[in-house]
Amino acid sequence: MRVETDLAEGAEIVGELLAERGPLTTSALLQAMRKVPQLRGWDHTQLLAALEASGVPDWPQPLPGGRWADLWSTMAGRVVTHRLTAWEVDTGLVPLLPDLSALVVAEQRYLYTTGDPFLMGAVEDFGVDLPSHLRPDDVVVALPDDLDGAGPGDRVGFQMTEAGIVLTKVARVKRVPDGVVQALVTMVDQHPQGVMMGPAACGLCADFPDLFARPQRPYGEIVAEADVLEHRGFLLPAGTDLDVWEATFIAGRIVAEYDVSASAASMVLVLAGLAEVWAADAHHGSQGTLLNPEGMLNPEGMLAPADRLAAVLATDDALLCFTGPNVGDAVRGVLAAGDPSDPSLFGVLGEVVATIRELYTQAGTDPQGFAVLLWLEALAAEHMRDVDEAERLLLAARTLAPSWGTVLAELARWESDRGNLATAKDLVRRAGAWAAPRLVEVLDNVSALAVRDLGRNRPCWCGSRRKYKVCHLGKEELSLPDRAVWLHAKAVLHAWTHHRDLLDDLLADMGLPGYDDLTAELLHMLAEDVTLVQGGVFAEFLAARGHLLPEDERELARAWTGRAHGVWEVVATRPGVMTMRQLATGEQRQVDVPGQDGPEVGAVAYCRVLPVGDDRWRILGGLRPVADDEREEFLELAAGDPSPNDLAEALAPEMVLEPPGQGEPGVHAVLTASSKARRVLDREWMSMPIEPVGQVWYDENDTLVFFIDEALHVHASSDEALDTALVHLLTLPGAALVDRGPAPGGPGA
């Protein structure tokens, strides 16, 4: 079978087969795969399904016409052209769509032959002024510094070669082969759901070997001539209802982002549609669209969204559509438009749902459907910070649907905030662990503190002489220092519930590859803490849900509001405790280090040191180790007032990869390898451009791999690291060891 563990290897083998044979139908490809010795023992059908689902641009993919192709070999040597504008020359950026669509297969692989990195990304990420014809998330391609003398109004060509992307000024273009435009129309008409512009270009090249073989008219002009619609990077048949297509497209994104069912994603869009109608109408002094003069639902005003919602609520599928661990997150994310501080569509959801619920009360409806309405109204109430009303609605929903996991999981958050560990755990047990995975993790961690490694059948710690399991198991009263960890976790859970977009952004800002597990965990925790402090989420949590907390936790939380991140140095250690001093103020604290050895004396970290009760202190929310040469920078950072995103970027440790011949000498090896080795390295290794050698690949040991001429060079810090790398590198196409020894400049070199 091997597909799950060796997908990259399978992609390489199938890619070589398609590069040799050209595009093949699925049946022809499966037949050819049976004759490949390296694929014996594989499930060929499963392998193709995994490749198609991967979405990796440079792995074999099915073309819109149904044939499979190796996109690299299909596009190798082709030239796509584009006419530069003044904005593009000034900024060094060119929109990917429509002309350069086929270049998407070169993403994260190539350099220009000039040595400049070939970069792709959202235009907003490049920090340039946005022209009127582009949106912030539109993808652009970075141009090399050398434009071959081209300026505004000139046409340039981009050619993909094994040596990199060649950019040249194009004086004249050739005619597009006959039949290309009609072939594009036929292709799009056969795919009413839409064809992405890049794969469509590759499909045309597979059918027309002469297409883009030399500089020809830009791809955008071919698309404009065809009787098709261009929308969001997709080509759609003429006459497509863009509103319907857009809804389907967004539903697909909801499914992918939140991992919910298609029916749940569809219902989320229905709710957004209802809220839009209400916001545009009822909030402007009239309910004429939603309600008729008699106060009943107006089918014409409610349109399809209300009809679909009513149909779902009247069936046994009502709970099924809104069941899953992330359904609530999807509703919150879509209707809150990523900004919980702005009521947006979510702000009116409660009103429209309450109106529908009242009317359904008059007419009667299925209890499960009614429970869904109560749950939706509760989500809206909590979003508007009416936590008590939200709980009342959730309890009413549970009465109608006692075993509905979605509502039970929501109620478990309330019990957790109140400190009712046993009740919260019982609710998530009945809901199913899948319903609230983050809350389950929090409660399990708290339970571990409560149990204190006491066996179930041992005498209870309270002295009652009864067995622990029938006395205090699950009923422990944790000390405030122990509950401080729980308190912080409650606030973090609130952040994930209402500020997921901000957390995802901060984690992306900190999420560079190559961290060890401990560093990654500490940075993850620090991103959550930055959300609480710099993002203002902890103050929001305390204002909205603080009254649910036990009194001593509430007082502790208030003490935390004045504690900022700072730069702290370890000045002394003993088992379980370390003495830390804040460098900026001289404040000194005895800080608990539960269950682990503390850092060495002299270690410095950017973190928050918080009181946890009983005159004890702890670091809650992760930390960032600070090197000696970073102290001044981090002291300035702690004294300033950076935004959450700016702080996250500053906290991300830099991945320092020194070119060969710099830094520690280490050991070195030279291998032969075919040009196809680059493709495998791109898939399996991390990479970045480093002067003067160009593209450099590296592994978790910071072993560097790079080409000089046709030879593959490997630079490692030790023989052990080199041996680890060679185990993988010697499996590359055409790989053989030529030389090994000390690195240039090292001992014995």
mmCIF file of all heavy atoms in Angstrom, residues 375-414:
data_model
loop_
_atom_site.group_PDB
_atom_site.id
_atom_site.type_symbol
_atom_site.label_atom_id
_atom_site.label_comp_id
_atom_site.label_asym_id
_atom_site.label_seq_id
_atom_site.Cartn_x
_atom_site.Cartn_y
_atom_site.Cartn_z
ATOM 1 N N TRP A 375 -30.131 27.365 19.872
ATOM 2 C CA TRP A 375 -28.666 27.349 19.878
ATOM 3 C C TRP A 375 -28.096 28.513 19.077
ATOM 4 O O TRP A 375 -27.162 29.198 19.517
ATOM 5 C CB TRP A 375 -28.179 26.009 19.324
ATOM 6 C CG TRP A 375 -26.705 25.959 19.038
ATOM 7 C CD1 TRP A 375 -25.691 25.969 19.939
ATOM 8 C CD2 TRP A 375 -26.085 25.899 17.749
ATOM 9 N NE1 TRP A 375 -24.475 25.911 19.315
ATOM 10 C CE2 TRP A 375 -24.690 25.865 17.967
ATOM 11 C CE3 TRP A 375 -26.562 25.860 16.453
ATOM 12 C CZ2 TRP A 375 -23.783 25.797 16.912
ATOM 13 C CZ3 TRP A 375 -25.653 25.779 15.404
ATOM 14 C CH2 TRP A 375 -24.287 25.757 15.639
ATOM 15 N N LEU A 376 -28.652 28.756 17.898
ATOM 16 C CA LEU A 376 -28.180 29.869 17.076
ATOM 17 C C LEU A 376 -28.392 31.199 17.786
ATOM 18 O O LEU A 376 -27.525 32.088 17.761
ATOM 19 C CB LEU A 376 -28.908 29.871 15.729
ATOM 20 C CG LEU A 376 -28.570 28.713 14.782
ATOM 21 C CD1 LEU A 376 -29.518 28.711 13.597
ATOM 22 C CD2 LEU A 376 -27.122 28.798 14.318
ATOM 23 N N GLU A 377 -29.525 31.340 18.428
ATOM 24 C CA GLU A 377 -29.793 32.571 19.165
ATOM 25 C C GLU A 377 -28.819 32.714 20.333
ATOM 26 O O GLU A 377 -28.383 33.819 20.670
ATOM 27 C CB GLU A 377 -31.238 32.567 19.669
ATOM 28 C CG GLU A 377 -31.742 33.929 20.086
ATOM 29 C CD GLU A 377 -33.215 33.912 20.463
ATOM 30 O OE1 GLU A 377 -33.915 32.923 20.169
ATOM 31 O OE2 GLU A 377 -33.660 34.901 21.066
ATOM 32 N N ALA A 378 -28.446 31.576 20.944
ATOM 33 C CA ALA A 378 -27.478 31.613 22.043
ATOM 34 C C ALA A 378 -26.101 32.053 21.549
ATOM 35 O O ALA A 378 -25.407 32.838 22.215
ATOM 36 C CB ALA A 378 -27.384 30.237 22.704
ATOM 37 N N LEU A 379 -25.690 31.555 20.386
ATOM 38 C CA LEU A 379 -24.406 31.985 19.829
ATOM 39 C C LEU A 379 -24.389 33.486 19.604
ATOM 40 O O LEU A 379 -23.401 34.167 19.894
ATOM 41 C CB LEU A 379 -24.129 31.258 18.511
ATOM 42 C CG LEU A 379 -23.871 29.748 18.549
ATOM 43 C CD1 LEU A 379 -23.427 29.267 17.175
ATOM 44 C CD2 LEU A 379 -22.844 29.388 19.597
ATOM 45 N N ALA A 380 -25.487 33.999 19.066
ATOM 46 C CA ALA A 380 -25.569 35.439 18.825
ATOM 47 C C ALA A 380 -25.548 36.209 20.140
ATOM 48 O O ALA A 380 -24.891 37.250 20.250
ATOM 49 C CB ALA A 380 -26.842 35.762 18.044
ATOM 50 N N ALA A 381 -26.259 35.706 21.152
ATOM 51 C CA ALA A 381 -26.284 36.394 22.445
ATOM 52 C C ALA A 381 -24.895 36.432 23.066
ATOM 53 O O ALA A 381 -24.459 37.464 23.599
ATOM 54 C CB ALA A 381 -27.270 35.702 23.383
ATOM 55 N N GLU A 382 -24.162 35.310 22.996
ATOM 56 C CA GLU A 382 -22.814 35.308 23.555
ATOM 57 C C GLU A 382 -21.908 36.249 22.776
ATOM 58 O O GLU A 382 -21.076 36.949 23.348
ATOM 59 C CB GLU A 382 -22.226 33.895 23.536
ATOM 60 C CG GLU A 382 -20.872 33.828 24.227
ATOM 61 C CD GLU A 382 -20.151 32.515 24.043
ATOM 62 O OE1 GLU A 382 -20.667 31.641 23.314
ATOM 63 O OE2 GLU A 382 -19.055 32.372 24.613
ATOM 64 N N HIS A 383 -22.079 36.273 21.474
ATOM 65 C CA HIS A 383 -21.279 37.177 20.649
ATOM 66 C C HIS A 383 -21.505 38.630 21.049
ATOM 67 O O HIS A 383 -20.577 39.441 21.019
ATOM 68 C CB HIS A 383 -21.623 36.983 19.178
ATOM 69 C CG HIS A 383 -20.798 37.827 18.260
ATOM 70 N ND1 HIS A 383 -19.540 37.465 17.854
ATOM 71 C CD2 HIS A 383 -21.049 39.020 17.688
ATOM 72 C CE1 HIS A 383 -19.048 38.401 17.061
ATOM 73 N NE2 HIS A 383 -19.938 39.355 16.937
ATOM 74 N N MET A 384 -22.730 38.950 21.447
ATOM 75 C CA MET A 384 -23.064 40.310 21.875
ATOM 76 C C MET A 384 -22.787 40.515 23.365
ATOM 77 O O MET A 384 -23.211 41.494 23.964
ATOM 78 C CB MET A 384 -24.529 40.599 21.566
ATOM 79 C CG MET A 384 -24.887 40.471 20.090
ATOM 80 S SD MET A 384 -23.883 41.529 19.021
ATOM 81 C CE MET A 384 -24.497 43.139 19.499
ATOM 82 N N ARG A 385 -22.057 39.545 23.978
ATOM 83 C CA ARG A 385 -21.594 39.602 25.357
ATOM 84 C C ARG A 385 -22.713 39.469 26.377
ATOM 85 O O ARG A 385 -22.548 39.861 27.526
ATOM 86 C CB ARG A 385 -20.793 40.890 25.625
ATOM 87 C CG ARG A 385 -19.649 41.108 24.642
ATOM 88 C CD ARG A 385 -18.604 40.003 24.733
ATOM 89 N NE ARG A 385 -17.544 40.206 23.758
ATOM 90 C CZ ARG A 385 -17.405 39.493 22.656
ATOM 91 N NH1 ARG A 385 -18.267 38.521 22.374
ATOM 92 N NH2 ARG A 385 -16.420 39.715 21.824
ATOM 93 N N ASP A 386 -23.873 38.933 25.995
ATOM 94 C CA ASP A 386 -24.937 38.631 26.951
ATOM 95 C C ASP A 386 -24.814 37.152 27.302
ATOM 96 O O ASP A 386 -25.563 36.296 26.820
ATOM 97 C CB ASP A 386 -26.311 38.943 26.355
ATOM 98 C CG ASP A 386 -27.411 38.938 27.403
ATOM 99 O OD1 ASP A 386 -27.154 38.437 28.524
ATOM 100 O OD2 ASP A 386 -28.518 39.418 27.109
ATOM 101 N N VAL A 387 -23.839 36.846 28.171
ATOM 102 C CA VAL A 387 -23.482 35.466 28.466
ATOM 103 C C VAL A 387 -24.604 34.746 29.210
ATOM 104 O O VAL A 387 -24.868 33.568 28.967
ATOM 105 C CB VAL A 387 -22.171 35.436 29.271
ATOM 106 C CG1 VAL A 387 -21.856 34.030 29.758
ATOM 107 C CG2 VAL A 387 -21.017 35.962 28.418
ATOM 108 N N ASP A 388 -25.278 35.437 30.114
ATOM 109 C CA ASP A 388 -26.349 34.798 30.883
ATOM 110 C C ASP A 388 -27.530 34.427 29.991
ATOM 111 O O ASP A 388 -28.125 33.349 30.137
ATOM 112 C CB ASP A 388 -26.810 35.719 32.011
ATOM 113 C CG ASP A 388 -25.720 35.931 33.055
ATOM 114 O OD1 ASP A 388 -24.844 35.060 33.182
ATOM 115 O OD2 ASP A 388 -25.736 36.983 33.731
ATOM 116 N N GLU A 389 -27.897 35.308 29.069
ATOM 117 C CA GLU A 389 -28.980 34.994 28.140
ATOM 118 C C GLU A 389 -28.580 33.834 27.238
ATOM 119 O O GLU A 389 -29.400 32.960 26.929
ATOM 120 C CB GLU A 389 -29.318 36.226 27.296
ATOM 121 C CG GLU A 389 -30.333 35.994 26.185
ATOM 122 C CD GLU A 389 -31.724 35.613 26.686
ATOM 123 O OE1 GLU A 389 -31.951 35.652 27.913
ATOM 124 O OE2 GLU A 389 -32.584 35.290 25.840
ATOM 125 N N ALA A 390 -27.318 33.798 26.846
ATOM 126 C CA ALA A 390 -26.847 32.695 26.010
ATOM 127 C C ALA A 390 -26.985 31.369 26.749
ATOM 128 O O ALA A 390 -27.434 30.369 26.177
ATOM 129 C CB ALA A 390 -25.391 32.931 25.606
ATOM 130 N N GLU A 391 -26.633 31.349 28.031
ATOM 131 C CA GLU A 391 -26.758 30.105 28.797
ATOM 132 C C GLU A 391 -28.222 29.698 28.935
ATOM 133 O O GLU A 391 -28.551 28.504 28.836
ATOM 134 C CB GLU A 391 -26.127 30.263 30.172
ATOM 135 C CG GLU A 391 -26.136 28.970 30.970
ATOM 136 C CD GLU A 391 -25.508 29.122 32.332
ATOM 137 O OE1 GLU A 391 -25.496 30.257 32.869
ATOM 138 O OE2 GLU A 391 -25.040 28.106 32.879
ATOM 139 N N ARG A 392 -29.100 30.670 29.165
ATOM 140 C CA ARG A 392 -30.523 30.346 29.286
ATOM 141 C C ARG A 392 -31.042 29.694 28.010
ATOM 142 O O ARG A 392 -31.775 28.698 28.054
ATOM 143 C CB ARG A 392 -31.324 31.623 29.572
ATOM 144 C CG ARG A 392 -32.806 31.384 29.829
ATOM 145 C CD ARG A 392 -33.583 32.678 29.867
ATOM 146 N NE ARG A 392 -33.653 33.315 28.555
ATOM 147 C CZ ARG A 392 -34.500 32.931 27.592
ATOM 148 N NH1 ARG A 392 -35.327 31.900 27.772
ATOM 149 N NH2 ARG A 392 -34.505 33.553 26.430
ATOM 150 N N LEU A 393 -30.631 30.206 26.877
ATOM 151 C CA LEU A 393 -31.067 29.644 25.597
ATOM 152 C C LEU A 393 -30.472 28.251 25.374
ATOM 153 O O LEU A 393 -31.143 27.359 24.848
ATOM 154 C CB LEU A 393 -30.669 30.590 24.465
ATOM 155 C CG LEU A 393 -31.415 31.932 24.431
ATOM 156 C CD1 LEU A 393 -30.684 32.934 23.554
ATOM 157 C CD2 LEU A 393 -32.844 31.731 23.935
ATOM 158 N N LEU A 394 -29.223 28.066 25.779
ATOM 159 C CA LEU A 394 -28.603 26.751 25.630
ATOM 160 C C LEU A 394 -29.296 25.708 26.506
ATOM 161 O O LEU A 394 -29.505 24.564 26.083
ATOM 162 C CB LEU A 394 -27.119 26.834 25.986
ATOM 163 C CG LEU A 394 -26.211 27.579 24.992
ATOM 164 C CD1 LEU A 394 -24.822 27.767 25.576
ATOM 165 C CD2 LEU A 394 -26.134 26.834 23.667
ATOM 166 N N LEU A 395 -29.648 26.090 27.711
ATOM 167 C CA LEU A 395 -30.358 25.158 28.594
ATOM 168 C C LEU A 395 -31.724 24.797 28.014
ATOM 169 O O LEU A 395 -32.170 23.635 28.102
ATOM 170 C CB LEU A 395 -30.515 25.774 29.983
ATOM 171 C CG LEU A 395 -29.216 25.898 30.788
ATOM 172 C CD1 LEU A 395 -29.442 26.743 32.041
ATOM 173 C CD2 LEU A 395 -28.685 24.521 31.158
ATOM 174 N N ALA A 396 -32.399 25.788 27.404
ATOM 175 C CA ALA A 396 -33.689 25.507 26.766
ATOM 176 C C ALA A 396 -33.506 24.566 25.584
ATOM 177 O O ALA A 396 -34.321 23.661 25.349
ATOM 178 C CB ALA A 396 -34.346 26.812 26.315
ATOM 179 N N ALA A 397 -32.403 24.759 24.822
ATOM 180 C CA ALA A 397 -32.130 23.868 23.695
ATOM 181 C C ALA A 397 -31.838 22.455 24.178
ATOM 182 O O ALA A 397 -32.266 21.470 23.562
ATOM 183 C CB ALA A 397 -30.952 24.409 22.878
ATOM 184 N N ARG A 398 -31.131 22.326 25.303
ATOM 185 C CA ARG A 398 -30.831 20.996 25.828
ATOM 186 C C ARG A 398 -32.104 20.280 26.275
ATOM 187 O O ARG A 398 -32.207 19.051 26.147
ATOM 188 C CB ARG A 398 -29.855 21.097 27.003
ATOM 189 C CG ARG A 398 -29.424 19.740 27.532
ATOM 190 C CD ARG A 398 -28.445 19.833 28.671
ATOM 191 N NE ARG A 398 -29.011 20.454 29.849
ATOM 192 C CZ ARG A 398 -28.387 20.539 31.030
ATOM 193 N NH1 ARG A 398 -27.170 20.059 31.156
ATOM 194 N NH2 ARG A 398 -28.963 21.126 32.051
ATOM 195 N N THR A 399 -33.071 21.026 26.770
ATOM 196 C CA THR A 399 -34.339 20.415 27.172
ATOM 197 C C THR A 399 -35.019 19.748 25.989
ATOM 198 O O THR A 399 -35.592 18.656 26.109
ATOM 199 C CB THR A 399 -35.266 21.480 27.780
ATOM 200 O OG1 THR A 399 -34.626 22.067 28.914
ATOM 201 C CG2 THR A 399 -36.591 20.872 28.204
ATOM 202 N N LEU A 400 -34.930 20.387 24.813
ATOM 203 C CA LEU A 400 -35.563 19.841 23.610
ATOM 204 C C LEU A 400 -34.715 18.754 22.961
ATOM 205 O O LEU A 400 -35.260 17.864 22.303
ATOM 206 C CB LEU A 400 -35.819 20.967 22.605
ATOM 207 C CG LEU A 400 -36.831 22.041 23.041
ATOM 208 C CD1 LEU A 400 -36.860 23.169 22.027
ATOM 209 C CD2 LEU A 400 -38.210 21.431 23.199
ATOM 210 N N ALA A 401 -33.400 18.842 23.112
ATOM 211 C CA ALA A 401 -32.494 17.861 22.481
ATOM 212 C C ALA A 401 -31.449 17.459 23.505
ATOM 213 O O ALA A 401 -30.300 17.915 23.453
ATOM 214 C CB ALA A 401 -31.853 18.467 21.233
ATOM 215 N N PRO A 402 -31.812 16.594 24.468
ATOM 216 C CA PRO A 402 -30.937 16.299 25.611
ATOM 217 C C PRO A 402 -29.598 15.674 25.243
ATOM 218 O O PRO A 402 -28.634 15.808 26.007
ATOM 219 C CB PRO A 402 -31.781 15.325 26.456
ATOM 220 C CG PRO A 402 -33.184 15.521 26.002
ATOM 221 C CD PRO A 402 -33.103 15.894 24.562
ATOM 222 N N SER A 403 -29.516 14.991 24.127
ATOM 223 C CA SER A 403 -28.266 14.306 23.773
ATOM 224 C C SER A 403 -27.502 14.993 22.643
ATOM 225 O O SER A 403 -26.551 14.424 22.102
ATOM 226 C CB SER A 403 -28.570 12.859 23.360
ATOM 227 O OG SER A 403 -29.450 12.827 22.234
ATOM 228 N N TRP A 404 -27.903 16.203 22.284
ATOM 229 C CA TRP A 404 -27.240 16.916 21.187
ATOM 230 C C TRP A 404 -25.867 17.398 21.655
ATOM 231 O O TRP A 404 -25.756 18.287 22.489
ATOM 232 C CB TRP A 404 -28.109 18.076 20.724
ATOM 233 C CG TRP A 404 -27.595 18.775 19.500
ATOM 234 C CD1 TRP A 404 -26.727 18.295 18.580
ATOM 235 C CD2 TRP A 404 -27.929 20.108 19.083
ATOM 236 N NE1 TRP A 404 -26.485 19.222 17.595
ATOM 237 C CE2 TRP A 404 -27.219 20.352 17.886
ATOM 238 C CE3 TRP A 404 -28.757 21.100 19.597
ATOM 239 C CZ2 TRP A 404 -27.313 21.554 17.202
ATOM 240 C CZ3 TRP A 404 -28.847 22.300 18.912
ATOM 241 C CH2 TRP A 404 -28.140 22.525 17.720
ATOM 242 N N GLY A 405 -24.815 16.802 21.102
ATOM 243 C CA GLY A 405 -23.467 17.078 21.554
ATOM 244 C C GLY A 405 -23.040 18.517 21.402
ATOM 245 O O GLY A 405 -22.274 19.045 22.220
ATOM 246 N N THR A 406 -23.506 19.199 20.373
ATOM 247 C CA THR A 406 -23.102 20.585 20.139
ATOM 248 C C THR A 406 -23.494 21.470 21.308
ATOM 249 O O THR A 406 -22.704 22.301 21.780
ATOM 250 C CB THR A 406 -23.724 21.097 18.833
ATOM 251 O OG1 THR A 406 -23.265 20.281 17.750
ATOM 252 C CG2 THR A 406 -23.341 22.535 18.565
ATOM 253 N N VAL A 407 -24.724 21.333 21.804
ATOM 254 C CA VAL A 407 -25.189 22.153 22.923
ATOM 255 C C VAL A 407 -24.513 21.724 24.225
ATOM 256 O O VAL A 407 -24.141 22.566 25.048
ATOM 257 C CB VAL A 407 -26.727 22.072 23.047
ATOM 258 C CG1 VAL A 407 -27.195 22.537 24.413
ATOM 259 C CG2 VAL A 407 -27.382 22.922 21.968
ATOM 260 N N LEU A 408 -24.349 20.415 24.439
ATOM 261 C CA LEU A 408 -23.698 19.941 25.658
ATOM 262 C C LEU A 408 -22.269 20.473 25.755
ATOM 263 O O LEU A 408 -21.809 20.866 26.832
ATOM 264 C CB LEU A 408 -23.702 18.415 25.687
ATOM 265 C CG LEU A 408 -25.073 17.734 25.773
ATOM 266 C CD1 LEU A 408 -24.912 16.219 25.691
ATOM 267 C CD2 LEU A 408 -25.802 18.132 27.042
ATOM 268 N N ALA A 409 -21.571 20.510 24.621
ATOM 269 C CA ALA A 409 -20.197 21.025 24.617
ATOM 270 C C ALA A 409 -20.166 22.516 24.936
ATOM 271 O O ALA A 409 -19.268 23.001 25.637
ATOM 272 C CB ALA A 409 -19.543 20.755 23.269
ATOM 273 N N GLU A 410 -21.143 23.272 24.421
ATOM 274 C CA GLU A 410 -21.210 24.702 24.735
ATOM 275 C C GLU A 410 -21.437 24.906 26.231
ATOM 276 O O GLU A 410 -20.779 25.718 26.878
ATOM 277 C CB GLU A 410 -22.334 25.368 23.935
ATOM 278 C CG GLU A 410 -22.113 25.412 22.431
ATOM 279 C CD GLU A 410 -21.143 26.496 22.000
ATOM 280 O OE1 GLU A 410 -20.656 27.250 22.874
ATOM 281 O OE2 GLU A 410 -20.856 26.580 20.793
ATOM 282 N N LEU A 411 -22.370 24.153 26.812
ATOM 283 C CA LEU A 411 -22.669 24.300 28.237
ATOM 284 C C LEU A 411 -21.477 23.903 29.098
ATOM 285 O O LEU A 411 -21.297 24.432 30.214
ATOM 286 C CB LEU A 411 -23.887 23.455 28.599
ATOM 287 C CG LEU A 411 -25.238 24.002 28.115
ATOM 288 C CD1 LEU A 411 -26.338 22.966 28.299
ATOM 289 C CD2 LEU A 411 -25.586 25.292 28.862
ATOM 290 N N ALA A 412 -20.652 22.988 28.610
ATOM 291 C CA ALA A 412 -19.474 22.576 29.379
ATOM 292 C C ALA A 412 -18.516 23.742 29.593
ATOM 293 O O ALA A 412 -17.817 23.802 30.615
ATOM 294 C CB ALA A 412 -18.758 21.429 28.663
ATOM 295 N N ARG A 413 -18.465 24.684 28.659
ATOM 296 C CA ARG A 413 -17.605 25.862 28.855
ATOM 297 C C ARG A 413 -18.071 26.680 30.045
ATOM 298 O O ARG A 413 -17.257 27.227 30.798
ATOM 299 C CB ARG A 413 -17.594 26.730 27.596
ATOM 300 C CG ARG A 413 -16.743 26.194 26.475
ATOM 301 C CD ARG A 413 -16.457 27.242 25.423
ATOM 302 N NE ARG A 413 -17.645 27.690 24.734
ATOM 303 C CZ ARG A 413 -18.075 28.939 24.699
ATOM 304 N NH1 ARG A 413 -17.417 29.886 25.364
ATOM 305 N NH2 ARG A 413 -19.165 29.268 24.031
ATOM 306 N N TRP A 414 -19.380 26.814 30.210
ATOM 307 C CA TRP A 414 -19.905 27.569 31.351
ATOM 308 C C TRP A 414 -19.503 26.886 32.667
ATOM 309 O O TRP A 414 -19.080 27.550 33.611
ATOM 310 C CB TRP A 414 -21.427 27.680 31.249
ATOM 311 C CG TRP A 414 -21.915 28.912 30.556
ATOM 312 C CD1 TRP A 414 -22.459 30.024 31.142
ATOM 313 C CD2 TRP A 414 -21.913 29.183 29.150
ATOM 314 N NE1 TRP A 414 -22.800 30.971 30.193
ATOM 315 C CE2 TRP A 414 -22.474 30.470 28.960
ATOM 316 C CE3 TRP A 414 -21.502 28.471 28.030
ATOM 317 C CZ2 TRP A 414 -22.635 31.048 27.699
ATOM 318 C CZ3 TRP A 414 -21.647 29.050 26.777
ATOM 319 C CH2 TRP A 414 -22.210 30.318 26.619
#
